[in-house]
Amino acid sequence: MHISYYSLEQQDRLQYLGLQFWRKYIESLPISINAYFRFHTVNIFDYVNYAAKLPEKFFDFIVISHCFFYESQDRYNSHKIYQKIFQNNLAHDGYVLLIIQGRKLFNLFNLYGVFHSEDIEREQMVIQMLLKELDLKLEWYKYLTSTGKRTPSKSNFYQFAYKNLSPQIYLTALQQKYLGQNYTSHYVIDDYVILARR
């Protein structure tokens, strides 16, 4: 097995954490593998200045995580860059993994009320709208949630979080000190994980 791990990210601390993840994975294997790591610490939206450095038709798997925008111009610009990366740098039979917050997915298309529903057909429609903008085809998707429901629970969510979810110790301390927050924040997941192809 061979792993070529290429990180294009503006925050070098995230790149370092990604490297630690792959190191742990490689060390856990019973056999040795060839691994190549390359870190490109740049703004992904400065495509013109780094595009020539990306290998053509090389990547078997590209991940874009939580990098989607509400504002129409930012969304349009970022989606054009993503399309170029998929067209020029993704291997012919490669995959794209998109991770996007549930609420943000629906708000991208000004469908605010749709999110508060268990309607799977509407959910699939919105996912198809996103993939069409990115010039991708759906392979598979999964909705990950802390509550087990698509519909957010506002009335007793704090009680649920307090009993079931891990507290954000350091972030809460900052929020309480600088923002006057009087409760403990908890880690919550509300994400769509979407696997697609060109």
Side-chain angles (χ1 to χ4, degrees):
M1 180 168 41
H2 174 83
I3 293 176
S4 293
Y5 177 73
Y6 186 104
S7 173
L8 181 69
E9 166 64 50
Q10 190 169 359
Q11 299 179 43
D12 57 356
R13 296 238 334 121
L14 287 177
Q15 289 178 317
Y16 177 75
L17 291 172
L19 176 62
Q20 298 311 311
F21 170 82
W22 281 110
R23 281 184 176 161
K24 273 191 168 180
Y25 171 73
I26 290 168
E27 290 169 2
S28 73
L29 296 175
I31 58 167
S32 62
I33 63 169
N34 292 324
Y36 169 79
F37 299 95
R38 182 168 180 193
F39 298 96
H40 205 155
T41 310
V42 296
N43 181 346
I44 192 169
F45 304 114
D46 191 19
Y47 183 75
V48 174
N49 291 320
Y50 69 78
K53 296 178 183 178
L54 290 176
E56 289 187 27
K57 308 290 184 205
F58 175 76
F59 298 105
D60 295 316
F61 198 69
I62 294 175
V63 179
I64 296 181
S65 179
H66 296 106
C67 205
F68 298 91
F69 300 93
Y70 292 122
E71 298 79 15
S72 58
Q73 191 59 48
D74 291 338
R75 186 175 96 207
Y76 174 81
N77 292 339
S78 64
H79 286 192
K80 285 295 174 195
I81 290 169
Y82 297 158
Q83 285 178 346
K84 289 177 185 175
I85 291 172
F86 302 153
Q87 290 167 359
N88 299 331
N89 310 109
L90 186 65
H92 180 68
D93 56 350
Y95 291 90
V96 174
L97 187 72
L98 307 172
I99 303 169
I100 182 170
Q101 185 184 25
R103 196 163 310 201
K104 183 171 274 191
L105 174 65
F106 286 88
N107 289 350
L108 286 178
F109 300 100
N110 296 322
L111 298 170
Y112 299 101
V114 176
F115 178 73
H116 303 284
S117 167
E118 298 286 332
D119 189 339
I120 303 300
E121 286 183 25
R122 287 176 130 181
E123 175 181 282
Q124 292 171 349
M125 175 194 72
V126 173
I127 289 170
Q128 290 295 351
M129 290 167 69
L130 173 66
L131 294 178
K132 185 176 181 182
E133 279 193 9
L134 295 171
D135 200 24
L136 296 171
K137 292 187 297 187
L138 178 66
E139 287 287 316
W140 171 92
Y141 81 91
K142 181 80 174 170
Y143 177 61
L144 306 177
T145 175
S146 299
T147 64
K149 297 178 182 177
R150 285 167 166 77
T151 307
S153 171
K154 294 180 181 177
S155 60
N156 58 359
F157 182 76
Y158 183 76
Q159 291 291 337
F160 173 83
Y162 181 75
K163 291 178 182 177
N164 299 292
L165 305 177
S166 300
Q168 295 179 333
I169 297 167
Y170 301 109
L171 186 58
T172 295
L174 292 172
Q175 290 170 330
Q176 289 174 345
K177 182 176 180 180
Y178 296 107
L179 302 176
Q181 178 175 298
N182 60 1
Y183 60 89
T184 301
S185 296
H186 292 79
Y187 288 102
V188 177
I189 190 165
D190 163 38
D191 292 328
Y192 282 90
V193 179
I194 303 167
L195 184 67
R197 300 179 84 158
R198 279 195 301 134

